[in-house]
Amino acid sequence: MSKVTPDPFFLSFRALVEEYKALATGECNEARATSSRVAAYIDAQLAMIEELKAREQAGRPVPHASEAVVLMTGLQGYTLLQRAPWLDADVRARLETLAGWPMYLERGPYRFTADFGTHHQLRWAKEYAAIAHRPSLRAVEIGVFEGMTSTWLLDNVLTDPTSRLICVDAFEPPRNVDNYAFARRANAPTPEQLFDANIAASSGASKVQKIAAYSGVALRTLPVDTFDLVYVDGSHLAPDVLEDAILVWRMLKVGALVTFDDYGWELPVDPLERPQPALDAFMTIFAGKFELVHKSWQLTLRKLRA
Ligand SMILES: C[S@@+](CC[C@H](N)C(=O)[O-])C[C@H]1O[C@@H](n2cnc3c(N)ncnc32)[C@H](O)[C@@H]1O
């Protein structure tokens, strides 16, 4: 297994995630979530957002896009307001400001509560240029969430009326992320409802087949030697990613592309809760059968032979 060298910035991002969990999860109580500790958390989180923006502007890697962290911070403010009524008035006023931050990224006809795609889209446009707009493309996305990447694929790659996209998602919180104990805002749509609304707003809606199931179940129902492009962003647990990679490999045509998200993800302390060990093992075992198209935060491979 290749050794991951932790970036100190990623470690401080992780520490803040842990601090938020300590403040807002089941242990949320007056002794733990004190006004001074919550105020210090808000300060640190605001500083983190500025640092994320600076890193993005400098083209340096970030654990999450700053726009997404802004949305998450608004939700954290809302959650702490619900869960910690004992906080001092000045801290509650700061949380109310955060809770008033935008809930959605508005992108044309679509809206999202998180951003897992924007910072990859320029690169995808180049990587997928050779197949984009071709007729009869067959693509699969595993882990679609609210449909940010699905709608991008429909609008930028699967544009021909004869192309199709299969969208696989369990539509349940991932098993290795405890959803950071966010309170759901009153009447907020679920990810699946947002996915459905975003796909309905797309001119490519009729090309989409949704399969609401775990990938380990869904992929076994799909045909082999059929797909031109598969985007893998479901479970990030190494055993699940390894299973996805092996099942996807059979589904790809020779010459087809597969992109795995979060190859460079360092957030979970346990490496077996990250995709990288699975993908390194896969590349070792399948050596000679693929061309490495891209390896950084994401991994893109082209299938050369079965
Ligand atoms: C990071 S989100 C995907 C983001 C999406 N690809 C995008 O670009 O907007 C991960 C998604 O994977 C789904 N998921 C997690 N484990 C899964 C599994 N074993 N099978 C299918 N979907 C899974 C979750 O429900 C979640 O919606």
Side-chain angles (χ1 to χ4, degrees):
M1 185 187 306
S2 68
K3 193 170 180 312
V4 177
T5 311
D7 177 334
F9 176 72
F10 279 50
L11 291 179
S12 50
F13 186 91
R14 178 157 71 203
L16 267 183
V17 170
E18 292 304 319
E19 175 64 355
Y20 173 72
K21 285 201 268 183
L23 292 172
T25 55
E27 298 145 1
C28 183
N29 60 49
E30 210 162 346
R32 186 176 279 263
T34 60
S35 291
S36 58
R37 193 167 164 185
V38 172
Y41 175 75
I42 297 171
D43 290 341
Q45 185 70 4
L46 297 182
M48 171 63 69
I49 289 170
E50 293 311 310
E51 177 87 34
L52 280 169
K53 288 179 183 162
R55 283 178 72 109
E56 280 171 344
Q57 273 169 8
R60 299 173 67 199
V62 289
H64 284 285
S66 63
E67 262 189 304
V69 178
V70 165
L71 297 178
M72 185 179 80
T73 304
L75 189 51
Q76 290 177 343
Y78 176 85
T79 304
L80 279 164
L81 271 178
Q82 314 299 311
R83 300 213 173 140
W86 53 81
L87 293 171
D88 292 348
D90 58 327
V91 178
R92 288 185 66 77
R94 293 186 75 192
L95 292 173
E96 260 159 36
T97 304
L98 298 183
W101 283 8
M103 272 176 70
Y104 297 109
L105 296 173
E106 309 274 351
R107 297 280 161 82
Y110 314 124
R111 52 181 201 161
F112 309 101
T113 67
D115 184 351
F116 295 110
T118 307
H119 49 305
H120 302 303
Q121 290 170 355
L122 272 180
R123 203 194 73 252
W124 295 340
K126 290 183 201 145
E127 274 174 22
Y128 306 156
I131 58 166
H133 316 303
R134 278 208 217 145
S136 301
L137 287 173
R138 294 291 175 268
V140 178
E141 184 183 356
I142 301 166
V144 296
F145 192 55
E146 298 165 349
M148 178 178 269
T149 297
S150 318
T151 50
W152 186 89
L153 288 171
L154 290 168
D155 291 341
N156 295 279
V157 179
L158 306 166
T159 51
D160 192 90
T162 57
S163 291
R164 297 288 178 267
L165 175 64
I166 296 176
C167 293
V168 175
D169 201 300
F171 293 113
E172 286 177 16
R175 279 171 280 166
N176 62 332
V177 182
D178 65 6
N179 85 357
Y180 308 148
F182 291 135
R184 207 166 147 256
R185 291 182 197 254
N187 303 320
T190 62
E192 185 172 9
Q193 287 168 336
L194 277 176
F195 172 83
D196 290 344
N198 286 327
I199 294 299
S202 162
S203 57
S206 62
K207 299 170 189 167
V208 174
Q209 178 192 354
K210 180 175 92 172
I211 305 181
Y214 285 110
S215 56
V217 175
L219 299 184
R220 287 180 163 84
T221 68
L222 297 180
V224 299
D225 302 332
T226 299
F227 294 94
D228 302 281
L229 175 64
V230 178
Y231 185 79
V232 185
D233 190 15
S235 168
H236 286 31
L237 300 178
D240 292 346
V241 175
L242 185 59
E243 185 180 10
D244 282 352
I246 288 168
L247 292 173
V248 162
W249 199 251
R250 290 175 165 279
M251 292 159 43
L252 295 172
K253 293 177 187 165
V254 169
L257 294 170
V258 55
T259 296
F260 297 91
D261 194 21
D262 291 325
Y263 175 75
W265 194 45
E266 296 178 355
L267 211 51
V269 178
D270 180 352
L272 295 182
E273 293 191 359
R274 307 174 190 158
Q276 186 176 357
L279 296 173
D280 285 342
F282 179 83
M283 287 191 283
T284 300
I285 294 162
F286 284 74
K289 299 188 175 198
F290 64 85
E291 174 196 346
L292 182 62
V293 176
H294 178 82
K295 184 166 93 163
S296 178
W297 186 268
Q298 296 198 325
L299 181 72
T300 297
L301 308 177
R302 185 191 314 283
K303 180 169 172 174
L304 297 180
R305 58 187 68 87

